[in-house]
Amino acid sequence: NGLEAWNIQQDLELMQRLATQEDNFLGVVFHQFQTAYEKGGSERNFGLFSLGTEVIGHTGEVCDAESPSCTSREVHCLSTELTWLNEGQQGRAQAVADAWQGEILRS
């Protein structure tokens, strides 16, 4: 996704107008809510949020095929900072909030 934040906001505002004017509009879906850190290269260009530095909890025991034993994992807060993207592509979450007159709550 190489879209800049203003373009994302513009697209969502258009979709909102269509939703109020057309009976056959079913909704909007986001490909990735959070950046997929396990992917590399251009695959990290998706997601509205990154993981913040603050740990807000821990999971229960998580077992997967890549780990010989089950472990607990940290749960991080979300962040709107997407520092690896160019300046115009940052601010995706704010663009979504602005398109629907919402706000991003920060703690």
Side-chain angles (χ1 to χ4, degrees):
N1 165 343
L3 292 179
E4 296 203 1
W6 69 266
N7 197 204
I8 292 170
Q9 180 177 344
Q10 183 179 33
D11 286 353
L12 292 173
E13 288 170 347
L14 174 60
M15 289 179 206
Q16 182 64 34
R17 280 195 300 281
L18 290 173
T20 59
Q21 297 169 359
E22 303 288 332
D23 291 338
N24 59 353
F25 188 86
L26 298 177
V28 176
V29 175
F30 291 98
H31 171 62
Q32 280 182 207
F33 185 73
Q34 176 203 306
T35 298
Y37 288 95
E38 72 278 4
K39 298 179 179 180
S42 64
E43 289 296 318
R44 286 195 58 197
N45 292 346
F46 298 96
L48 297 175
F49 296 96
S50 63
L51 292 179
T53 56
E54 182 183 353
V55 175
I56 58 173
H58 289 81
T59 66
E61 295 293 304
V62 177
C63 307
D64 61 41
E66 296 179 19
S67 176
S69 62
C70 301
T71 59
S72 176
R73 308 253 171 98
E74 293 180 336
V75 176
H76 291 257
C77 62
L78 293 176
S79 172
T80 58
E81 294 182 26
L82 303 169
T83 56
W84 55 90
L85 297 176
N86 72 47
E87 187 176 339
Q89 293 174 327
Q90 295 181 32
R92 292 176 176 171
Q94 190 63 56
V96 173
D98 290 346
W100 286 315
Q101 293 82 47
E103 64 181 299
I104 297 173
L105 300 177
R106 304 185 195 285
S107 57

